[in-house]
Amino acid sequence: MADHPFILEMNHISKAFPGVQALDNVTLKVRPGTVHALMGENGAGKSTLMKCLFGIYKPDGGDIRLDGETVAIASSKDALAHGVSMIHQELHPVPFRNVMDNVWLGRYPLKGIGPIKFVDEKKMLADTKALLAELDMTIDPHVKVGTLSVSNVQSIEIAKAVSYSARVIVMDEPTSSLTGNEVEQLFKIINKLRARGVSIIYISHKMEEILRISDDVTIMRDGKLIGTWPAEEMTTDLIITRMVGRDLTQRFPERSNVPGDVRLRVEKLTSPQQHSFKDVTFELRKGEILGVGGLVGAQRTELIEALFGMRTIAAGSIEIDGKRVSIKSPVEAKKHGIALLTEERRVTGIFPVLSVLENTSIASLSQYRNGFGLLNERRARMDAEHNVERFRVKTPSVKTLIGNLSGGNQQKVLLARWLLTDPDILMLDEPTRGIDVGAKYEIYTIIAELAKQGKSIIMISSEMPELLGMSDRIMVMCEGRLSGVVDGRAATEEDIMRLAAQRER
Amino acid sequence: MNAMNTSSIKNFFTQNAIYVVLVVLIIGIAVSDPSFLAVTTLRDILLQSSTRAIIALGAAFILITGGVDLSAGRVVGLTAVISASMLQLSEYPQRFFPNLPELPLIVPIALAILAGLIVGLINGVIVAKLSVPPFIATLGTMVIVYGVNSIYFDTEPNQSQPIGGLRKDFTELGSGYFGLDGKYSIPYIVVIAIAVAGLVWVIFNKTQLGKNMYAIGGNIQAAKVSGIRVGRNLIYIYSIAGALYGLAGVLEAARTGGATNNYGNMYELDAIAACVVGGVSTAGGIGTVPGVMAGVMIFGVINYGLTYIGVNPYWQLIIKGLIIVAAVAFDIRKYLAKK
């Protein structure tokens, strides 16, 4: 059993949806005790392949083998029974229950007489402690999961997978909401799992991570397998080239924007909450891209949400074009020409059951209203179609539900939504998170073009190359305070890290 | 038949399950008694469905925002009593207001609809400004409205007597019809319901309020961030729904020629059932006017048709319940992940 060269084989998997060949004869072979990176642009078929592995989709052809034996997996429960587990990008714990309830959810240890069973809390506690200790996790089993950080919730999910004696764990963008330290922590856990002979299928867009942690790299494009290579033979450029199928000599577009007069002046802005932003002062010019760097917990999102009227402020002032303004709601922010592309696309961005057209026009409906209060749908549709074309949104039509598009395309639609409100100040919170390389470049191009037109842009990003590659200036925050502003073209990653990690004394 | 054809036929059935169910029902009943397929039958079903349709359209507004409105039935009762109490014949011996002069027809009707609108407005304020979940908010107003209506109904000299002896011009509204060529006729009330449906269709599809309604139900967080005044829109929507229930109550009084405080009891559940059978999602964001109308018609056909072919009323209840569950189980296939 253990001597089989591959713990998991997915051979010649094909899957078609009406009008799309989502997977075309894809083969993935994972060696035991390795980290296997699965890469490809959004829409390349990674998720579809994983959904076939978990029985969410039934492949049209091909077979799945574990330790050389063909298995039939019809549901994630079957997969779990075969020792195949998944850590999703977006975690769904039961927030009001504690850590051990979450770990043993659905299979609580029972005790009792005859048919009368009670949950054996004692055993559950002991088992949880043992499990967490084994993985060097220091999390209190009694704490409610809703109060934990994303990183800890993820650790619990991993522990849960281990408790199912998982042999293959799929991790989908596991570091997308982790800070630098937390990533290190995750890598430690991954190394421990690898040492135990567990295989990890690691799905990520972050090249640096992939090259550091993985043993093998499999690249997919347009539903097809491009190939599998040992990680040490790969470089960032090589991966990108193979993923996009063309040479991407540049990851960032040329920018020709020229920052002008001051448009926004924020003075000593302070949150009423103790641990949130404090005394933040900065300026934003016309036609400027201002990057905002910092670790998770730096309160960057909180700061721009306050500027957008989603959070209250205790002190400080906001001036737009020299005039002091008070912004108490997104409605008012919109009136002052501010737009916000939020970090959590699914939670605060898209309307999944509505069409691309409706998602595009929803923030600017009043401009389509005629004298009778009726909407001019034809004009809204033309605008939406124009934007779909301009941003190269891949969608069959503007009537398609946005929920059916890939993340990158959803993000472009959201960007279009805000541009239709004709904002002067565009605030982007992690605009390229979870988006593939090709779409990223397109979004960068749009941002650069907007700055050139004179729009002022604030861009929060946790990706250093993005901050450095796109910003005119970068302001770095640390624990709610502004720790420094650096020139985007002259600064280095080290400069930003130093400011981001600067602890208050 | 090749594979493409089978799948497109299957697709047609899943996309249009509601209409298929309606047609199958009619065929089923007609097979068992062909005389069912008469123009008069259709007219009777439409007549009975009209007020239900108006209530269901009101309920659809709320469901699409992701809420639910339990007060609908009691608002129907309230406005039936209000309109009837002011529209009795002057020679009727037991008048609610013995000395009330004959008012222009529109005045009591407008007052009743206004009463419905005010209840809706209160619902909207409780939901939007006090952040009480719609189920609880409207459960509260449902009980309160019944209480208020019962007190009104119990005032001297009426003392909870059923209100009768309604003016002919009023009852004519509920039972009169446009005659077409002797044999054919369309009841006024059906015309009113169709007009209301048309108006609601315009609100749903052609107005900012309608788009906002779908957005709020589709993702309330995103709606807030998009700069939609969620609270204000909800208040408008609950108010419109209340006004529709109000209109339905007036028409119920006119149609039946009387009113008591128990009018409309449990109508909200029929309305919600018609909506969900018609494809409105209780999770919000999804629903169409034609769907709601089809849902109402399904229940109209069941009520009338099963009685027509002599099905035991208790069996009718069981069939109705099964149809609610089956229709939604079918309809939801549209949105489930394709395997």
Side-chain angles (χ1 to χ4, degrees):
Chain A
M1 183 173 152
D3 48 38
H4 200 274
F6 297 110
I7 190 162
L8 169 73
E9 289 168 84
M10 297 181 78
N11 292 318
H12 312 293
I13 305 287
S14 291
K15 175 74 188 169
F17 294 111
V20 200
Q21 185 71 37
L23 290 176
D24 185 3
N25 194 15
V26 176
T27 294
L28 175 70
K29 297 185 182 209
V30 181
R31 297 183 289 139
T34 59
V35 175
H36 195 119
L38 181 58
M39 307 198 67
E41 295 190 76
N42 285 352
K46 294 166 302 186
S47 327
T48 313
L49 187 67
M50 290 303 109
K51 282 178 178 165
C52 289
L53 177 59
F54 285 89
I56 297 164
Y57 294 146
K58 194 175 170 302
D60 302 332
D63 61 45
I64 299 174
R65 293 180 198 188
L66 285 167
D67 280 326
E69 274 175 53
T70 306
V71 290
I73 295 175
S75 67
S76 0
K77 211 176 159 187
D78 280 0
L80 220 46
H82 283 107
V84 181
S85 178
M86 179 145 181
I87 313 295
H88 291 272
Q89 181 179 4
E90 272 149 56
L91 304 165
H92 298 286
V94 187
F96 297 113
R97 307 301 299 174
N98 65 27
V99 169
M100 49 183 196
D101 281 353
N102 269 277
V103 171
W104 304 105
L105 192 69
R107 50 181 179 137
Y108 296 120
L110 299 175
K111 64 175 179 190
I113 316 140
I116 305 160
K117 299 278 192 216
F118 299 97
V119 173
D120 189 345
E121 296 271 345
K122 230 182 187 168
K123 181 173 180 342
M124 196 156 79
L125 179 61
D127 288 355
T128 312
K129 277 186 174 160
L131 181 67
L132 295 177
E134 200 182 323
L135 294 165
D136 284 342
M137 294 174 183
T138 48
I139 302 168
D140 180 356
H142 290 291
V143 165
K144 287 202 174 53
V145 168
T147 65
L148 293 175
S149 68
V150 181
S151 152
N152 279 335
V153 175
Q154 191 184 51
S155 299
I156 289 164
E157 291 285 326
I158 295 171
K160 192 170 164 182
V162 170
S163 75
Y164 273 100
S165 37
R167 293 180 291 163
V168 178
I169 300 179
V170 181
M171 296 189 182
D172 187 7
E173 294 280 353
T175 59
S176 64
S177 33
L178 300 189
T179 62
N181 279 338
E182 289 168 341
V183 171
E184 292 309 316
Q185 188 60 35
L186 175 70
F187 282 6
K188 261 188 213 157
I189 296 172
I190 290 178
N191 281 326
K192 202 166 273 262
L193 293 171
R194 174 154 56 182
R196 288 165 52 118
V198 175
S199 299
I200 316 272
I201 298 177
Y202 193 96
I203 302 175
S204 174
H205 290 111
K206 299 188 185 168
M207 309 292 165
E208 291 80 6
E209 279 175 16
I210 296 279
L211 292 173
R212 231 188 92 192
I213 193 80
S214 52
D215 301 292
D216 298 315
V217 179
T218 290
I219 297 177
M220 294 177 65
R221 184 170 72 226
D222 297 333
K224 293 188 182 70
L225 175 73
I226 301 303
T228 300
W229 296 271
E232 63 255 31
E233 289 176 14
M234 301 300 280
T235 64
T236 302
D237 286 344
L238 210 50
I239 295 178
I240 293 177
T241 310
R242 288 179 179 161
M243 272 169 59
V244 298
R246 61 179 183 272
D247 277 319
L248 252 191
T249 43
Q250 270 182 305
R251 288 168 69 185
F252 301 99
E254 276 303 315
R255 284 182 290 117
S256 53
N257 58 312
V258 185
D261 299 339
V262 171
R263 176 165 273 148
L264 171 75
R265 180 174 277 130
V266 175
E267 196 100 32
K268 290 192 179 297
L269 207 65
T270 301
S271 160
Q273 256 127 32
Q274 182 110 60
H275 296 290
S276 195
F277 55 89
K278 225 177 242 136
D279 281 338
V280 177
T281 299
F282 70 94
E283 284 176 356
L284 175 68
R285 297 176 174 276
K286 287 181 184 158
E288 181 184 40
I289 303 177
L290 176 66
V292 187
L295 304 172
V296 171
Q299 305 294 319
R300 295 172 295 169
T301 297
E302 288 74 3
L303 174 71
I304 64 166
E305 284 184 354
L307 292 177
F308 199 63
M310 291 163 69
R311 288 170 188 270
T312 53
I313 52 176
S317 64
I318 304 168
E319 269 178 29
I320 294 176
D321 293 329
K323 265 183 282 181
R324 181 145 178 192
V325 295
S326 124
I327 300 169
K328 293 206 179 64
S329 68
V331 180
E332 290 177 11
K334 233 166 82 179
K335 272 194 200 135
H336 288 298
I338 306 178
L340 168 64
L341 195 64
T342 56
E343 181 181 8
E344 296 186 76
R345 195 162 51 236
R346 283 187 217 176
V347 182
T348 51
I350 62 164
F351 301 98
V353 295
L354 302 184
S355 67
V356 169
L357 167 60
E358 283 156 333
N359 271 281
T360 311
S361 60
I362 193 70
S364 48
L365 285 175
S366 15
Q367 73 184 56
Y368 300 114
R369 218 166 39 185
N370 66 18
F372 303 105
L374 301 183
L375 298 175
N376 184 337
E377 185 142 349
R378 213 170 55 89
R379 211 149 54 76
R381 192 181 172 126
M382 269 164 50
D383 281 353
E385 277 168 354
H386 170 74
N387 276 298
V388 159
E389 216 161 293
R390 174 179 169 203
F391 294 163
R392 301 204 281 141
V393 180
K394 283 179 202 147
T395 176
S397 100
V398 293
K399 290 285 186 185
T400 306
L401 299 189
I402 195 171
N404 295 340
L405 305 188
S406 72
N409 286 313
Q410 290 179 353
Q411 192 74 324
K412 289 183 198 167
V413 171
L414 293 183
L415 207 49
R417 174 195 293 172
W418 284 112
L419 292 181
L420 281 178
T421 68
D422 195 22
D424 298 321
I425 301 170
L426 189 56
M427 304 195 289
L428 312 169
D429 196 351
E430 304 284 1
T432 65
R433 165 167 297 172
I435 289 177
D436 60 80
V437 183
K440 265 187 186 178
Y441 188 84
E442 288 173 8
I443 286 178
Y444 295 145
T445 312
I446 297 166
I447 294 173
E449 175 60 30
L450 293 170
K452 193 181 163 195
Q453 289 168 12
K455 309 251 186 231
S456 305
I457 289 161
I458 300 180
M459 181 182 78
I460 294 183
S461 175
S462 295
E463 286 183 45
M464 297 282 183
E466 180 172 290
L467 275 179
L468 293 167
M470 287 301 296
S471 312
D472 294 307
R473 289 183 304 143
I474 302 167
M475 66 180 222
V476 185
M477 291 179 69
C478 175
E479 294 180 349
R481 289 174 185 275
L482 188 66
S483 49
V485 179
V486 294
D487 185 280
R489 293 180 200 264
T492 63
E493 295 201 9
E494 288 71 35
D495 296 338
I496 296 174
M497 269 321 290
R498 213 171 300 123
L499 289 168
Q502 193 177 68
R503 303 284 144 168
E504 205 188 325
R505 227 235 63 81
Chain B
M1 188 183 290
N2 62 33
M4 192 57 212
N5 247 334
T6 355
S7 88
S8 66
I9 287 171
K10 200 175 150 196
N11 199 28
F12 173 83
F13 276 101
T14 34
Q15 291 300 320
N16 299 290
I18 301 312
Y19 309 102
V20 173
V21 169
L22 183 56
V23 171
V24 168
L25 256 175
I26 292 173
I27 293 173
I29 293 168
V31 164
S32 131
D33 185 348
S35 71
F36 180 72
L37 292 178
V39 178
T40 48
T41 315
L42 177 67
R43 195 188 55 207
D44 287 347
I45 292 173
L46 288 176
L47 187 64
Q48 289 183 359
S49 303
S50 293
T51 51
R52 306 294 180 121
I54 295 170
I55 302 166
L57 289 167
F61 270 95
I62 313 294
L63 288 170
I64 293 172
T65 65
V68 65
D69 192 347
L70 299 178
S71 69
R74 291 307 186 185
V75 172
V76 168
L78 176 71
T79 62
V81 167
I82 290 177
S83 56
S85 69
M86 289 184 244
L87 285 166
Q88 286 171 301
L89 293 163
S90 49
E91 63 270 24
Y92 191 66
Q94 295 170 312
R95 293 187 84 204
F96 196 96
F97 295 111
N99 303 315
L100 190 76
E102 182 153 325
L103 299 166
L105 189 58
I106 190 69
V107 173
I109 292 177
L111 282 175
I113 293 174
L114 182 68
L117 187 140
I118 290 170
V119 176
L121 180 78
I122 294 169
N123 282 333
V125 170
I126 297 174
V127 170
K129 298 296 171 193
L130 304 182
S131 305
V132 176
F135 187 96
I136 307 296
T138 59
L139 178 65
T141 50
M142 166 179 120
V143 177
I144 294 168
V145 166
Y146 181 55
V148 168
N149 191 17
S150 298
I151 290 171
Y152 180 73
F153 191 60
D154 194 35
T155 47
E156 293 277 353
N158 194 59
Q159 291 184 316
S160 298
Q161 291 306 303
I163 302 171
L166 301 187
R167 275 162 46 183
K168 290 288 167 279
D169 56 346
F170 183 48
T171 54
E172 180 71 8
L173 193 66
S175 52
Y177 49 84
F178 295 108
L180 299 171
D181 197 20
K183 191 178 166 198
Y184 302 106
S185 62
I186 304 177
Y188 294 142
I189 198 168
V190 173
V191 175
I192 294 171
I194 290 170
V196 169
L199 189 67
V200 172
W201 185 88
V202 170
I203 297 175
F204 278 17
N205 295 287
K206 298 288 167 194
T207 68
Q208 195 167 2
L209 183 68
K211 299 283 178 191
N212 289 346
M213 170 185 76
Y214 284 106
I216 291 169
N219 183 347
I220 191 165
Q221 295 304 327
K224 280 180 190 155
V225 176
S226 304
I228 293 174
R229 296 172 192 273
V230 171
R232 189 182 293 188
N233 278 281
L234 281 176
I235 291 172
Y236 290 155
I237 288 165
Y238 276 88
S239 303
I240 293 173
L244 289 178
Y245 310 146
L247 172 63
V250 170
L251 295 179
E252 274 296 276
R255 187 173 70 89
T256 58
T260 75
N261 60 338
N262 269 317
Y263 262 46
N265 189 19
M266 309 273 269
Y267 280 19
E268 64 278 353
L269 297 186
D270 289 345
I272 294 168
C275 285
V276 296
V277 164
V280 179
S281 162
T282 50
I286 300 171
T288 65
V289 171
V292 173
M293 300 309 273
V296 171
M297 284 304 292
I298 284 179
F299 285 104
V301 170
I302 295 174
N303 282 337
Y304 191 91
L306 296 186
T307 309
Y308 193 84
I309 58 174
V311 175
N312 169 328
Y314 301 132
W315 271 106
Q316 291 187 22
L317 291 176
I318 294 171
I319 293 169
K320 258 202 247 183
L322 288 174
I323 286 190
I324 293 172
V325 177
V328 174
F330 263 117
D331 190 58
I332 208 142
R333 306 285 135 205
K334 274 194 287 203
Y335 306 105
L336 294 182
K338 289 175 195 117
K339 282 215 176 192

